[in-house]
Amino acid sequence: MGLTAAGAATAALAPALTACGSDGGSGSKTLRVVAADYGDNAANGSQKYWDALARAFEAQNKGVKVEATVLSWTEVDKKVAEMVAAGKAPDIAQIGAYAEFAAAGKLYSADQLLTIPTQADIIASIARAGEVAHVQYGLPFVGSTRLLFYNKTLFAKAGIAKAPESWDELQAAAKKLQTAGVKVPYGLPLGPEEAPAETMMWMLSGGGGYTDHNGTYTILSDQNVDTFKWLRDELVGKGLTGSLDPARTNRQTVFDAFCRGEVGMLNGHPTLMKQAEAKGIKFGTAPLPGKSGKAKATMGVADWIMAFKAGGHREEVGRFLDFVYSTKNVSAFTNQYDLLPVTTSASEKMAADSAKDKLKPFLAQLENAEFYPVDKTSWAKVSQALKEKIGSVVVKGGDPASVLGEIQREADSTDLAAHGK
C-alpha cells in the first residue's frame, strides 16, 4: 500500500496498459511509465504531474517519448506484476515494492541509471532501504515518517501540559484523558489495514524492530515481547484505548475518530494533518514516546521507482530518472500531496519554506527513520501474517511470545525458501 493509499480512490482509470518501451519510427524511442495515483479525486490525480513531466522531458530530449499510465494504489502493484509475468514489463514502474523483481534479476541497479550527483542527492537512510545484498535497485520516490498526534483541546480539558515523551508519561496522560471522559484516550489501530506500521512503531519505541543490522528477522526478540506485554497490560488492559477494540480497529477508523474530536492521542503521518485541519481539530505533533524517553527512531515509509531491463533503454531511462529527481520536480510532487522529499536538495528547500512549517517535524525524523524490510522477498508474507495475527496479542489473555514466535517462524521459513534452502 502506498503512502496515501487510504485516500486514493480515483474513479477515472488510466488507459489500457501496453507493451514495454519500444522504438517508434524515425529512430525515436518510447519509454513506458506505470505510476501510482496519490490523489483522492479527479482534480488532484497524479496523471497531470506525470504528463507535464513527460512533455517537459521530451522538449529537452529530442527522439525520446514518454508515455505515462497512472493507476490507483488498489491495482497498480498487481498490474505491473501481471505485465512483467506476460513479458511486457514497463521501462519504469513507480509502485510499492521492488524486491521480487530485483531478486529475479529484472531490474537495473541505481548506479547503472543515475548520474553520481543524483545518486549522492538521495537521502542515505532511504537509499539503503532500496538495497538488495548491498546493491540499490529500489529508487525511493517519496517518503513519510510518523509522529505522535495529540488533540490540544482534549489535553487542556484533562489538564495535560505537554506531549508525553515516555511510555509512563503516555499512560499517565491517557489516564487523565480517560478521567476527563474522552472516548478514546489512545488510538491503537492493530486491525488489518495497517497493522505492520503500528507494530513497527511500537517495536522501535521499545528498542526492538523487525530485523537487526544484518537484516535478520528479530520479531521474537525480548524487546518486542516486552513491548506487547506492556501494551496488553498497561494500555489496553487498563481501558486506555477506550471504545475502539485495537485488535479489529483500522488506521482510517482511528483517523476519522480523531477528526471528530474523540481521540486524545495516536500515531499518524502527514495526511492526518490535512484531514484534521479540514474538521477544525486543534492538534499538536511530537516525536514518538519511547520506553524511557523519546524513541530513538521512528518509522519511515517510502514508495519506489524501479527500471526494468526488458525494454533495453538503460541510457534513456537514466536520463529521464535524473530529470525526475531534479529538485524542481521532486518539490513539485511532494508539495502537491504534503509528502516528504527523498533528496537532500529538495529537503533543504522544504526546510527553508515557511509555508511548510507543519511538515518540518516529519522531515526532521527522516534522516534517522527505519523502514520496512522491503529488500526481503519474504516481507509480503510477513506483512500479511502481522495483519492477521498481531491484534490478538494485546487483548485479555493474549500471548505476545507465542504469536510473535509464530510470525518469526513463518518469516524464517519464507526467507529460507526464497534463498533455495
Side-chain angles (χ1 to χ4, degrees):
M1 179 177 282
L3 301 180
T4 56
T10 50
L13 288 182
L17 300 181
T18 51
C20 58
S22 58
D23 294 347
S26 308
S28 68
K29 293 184 178 179
T30 300
L31 302 181
R32 315 281 181 188
V33 179
V34 178
D37 198 341
Y38 288 75
D40 56 8
N41 59 61
N44 71 356
S46 302
Q47 186 74 50
K48 291 177 184 175
Y49 171 84
W50 285 103
D51 285 347
L53 198 70
R55 301 300 81 80
F57 176 77
E58 289 168 357
Q60 296 176 23
N61 294 268
K62 301 302 180 190
V64 183
K65 291 185 67 65
V66 178
E67 291 182 2
T69 299
V70 173
L71 299 170
S72 72
W73 269 113
T74 56
E75 63 176 347
V76 68
D77 287 65
K78 181 172 178 281
K79 289 283 189 186
V80 169
E82 288 170 355
M83 292 172 75
V84 173
K88 297 179 178 180
D91 291 289
I92 296 166
Q94 184 272 299
I95 51 177
Y98 63 85
E100 287 193 27
F101 301 129
K106 295 182 183 296
L107 303 180
Y108 289 118
S109 61
D111 61 2
Q112 290 176 306
L113 298 164
L114 304 177
T115 60
I116 289 171
T118 300
Q119 282 191 78
D121 198 26
I122 295 175
I123 294 169
S125 63
I126 316 179
R128 282 194 298 274
E131 293 179 356
V132 174
H134 306 295
V135 178
Q136 187 184 355
Y137 295 97
L139 308 176
F141 179 58
V142 285
S144 178
T145 57
R146 307 299 169 95
L147 292 172
L148 179 77
F149 280 67
Y150 58 97
N151 184 313
K152 288 183 174 181
T153 305
L154 297 180
F155 265 46
K157 179 183 173 185
I160 304 166
K162 66 180 184 66
E165 294 185 0
S166 67
W167 288 358
D168 285 347
E169 288 181 11
L170 185 144
Q171 186 194 55
K175 284 179 176 175
K176 288 182 179 179
L177 290 162
Q178 183 184 50
T179 302
V182 174
K183 275 189 180 180
V184 182
Y186 185 88
L188 183 68
L190 289 173
E193 182 192 337
E194 216 197 16
E198 192 71 20
T199 298
M200 184 172 178
M201 284 182 272
W202 279 98
M203 284 179 170
L204 290 172
S205 72
Y210 286 130
T211 59
D212 62 19
H213 292 303
N214 298 317
T216 303
Y217 280 116
T218 54
I219 295 165
L220 185 60
S221 67
D222 290 344
Q223 294 96 321
N224 292 343
V225 171
D226 289 347
T227 291
F228 281 96
K229 282 181 179 176
W230 187 88
L231 280 172
R232 180 194 64 192
D233 300 338
E234 301 300 326
L235 205 65
V236 180
K238 289 186 163 50
L240 300 176
T241 51
S243 57
L244 296 176
D245 174 8
R248 292 202 257 305
T249 299
N250 284 331
R251 176 190 63 178
Q252 195 57 48
T253 302
V254 180
F255 279 17
D256 291 344
F258 185 78
C259 294
R260 291 194 300 269
E262 297 171 1
V263 178
M265 300 174 280
L266 77 170
N267 293 335
H269 53 61
T271 304
L272 180 56
M273 292 197 301
K274 274 192 170 179
Q275 294 176 16
E277 284 167 355
K279 297 294 184 181
I281 300 295
K282 292 183 173 62
F283 65 88
T285 59
L288 301 185
K291 192 170 185 178
S292 53
K294 289 179 189 174
K296 290 183 173 61
T298 187
M299 185 183 108
V301 181
D303 292 331
W304 302 94
I305 284 183
M306 59 219 69
F308 289 88
K309 295 176 180 177
H313 294 144
R314 181 173 71 87
E315 195 268 328
E316 292 81 12
V317 167
R319 260 192 285 155
F320 181 66
L321 291 177
D322 273 328
F323 188 72
V324 168
Y325 283 100
S326 70
T327 307
K328 176 186 173 185
N329 291 327
V330 170
S331 297
F333 193 86
T334 53
N335 287 344
Q336 183 176 350
Y337 297 108
D338 272 354
L339 294 166
L340 301 180
V342 295
T343 62
T344 301
S345 60
S347 296
E348 288 171 351
K349 186 176 179 182
M350 179 178 279
D353 183 355
S354 59
K356 295 293 177 184
D357 281 352
K358 287 183 179 175
L359 274 174
K360 288 172 190 175
F362 294 93
L363 191 63
Q365 298 282 318
L366 197 56
E367 202 69 65
N368 296 312
E370 296 202 16
F371 295 80
Y372 287 143
V374 289
D375 59 314
K376 291 174 165 289
T377 55
S378 56
W379 172 243
K381 285 189 177 178
V382 174
S383 177
Q384 189 57 41
L386 287 158
K387 290 177 181 182
E388 292 169 1
K389 298 171 182 175
I390 199 66
S392 68
V393 305
V394 297
V395 300
K396 189 174 181 180
D399 187 344
S402 173
V403 174
L404 291 173
E406 200 177 318
I407 298 171
Q408 174 81 44
R409 286 190 294 278
E410 194 164 334
D412 289 342
S413 64
T414 307
D415 238 12
L416 287 171
H419 292 94
K421 293 176 184 175

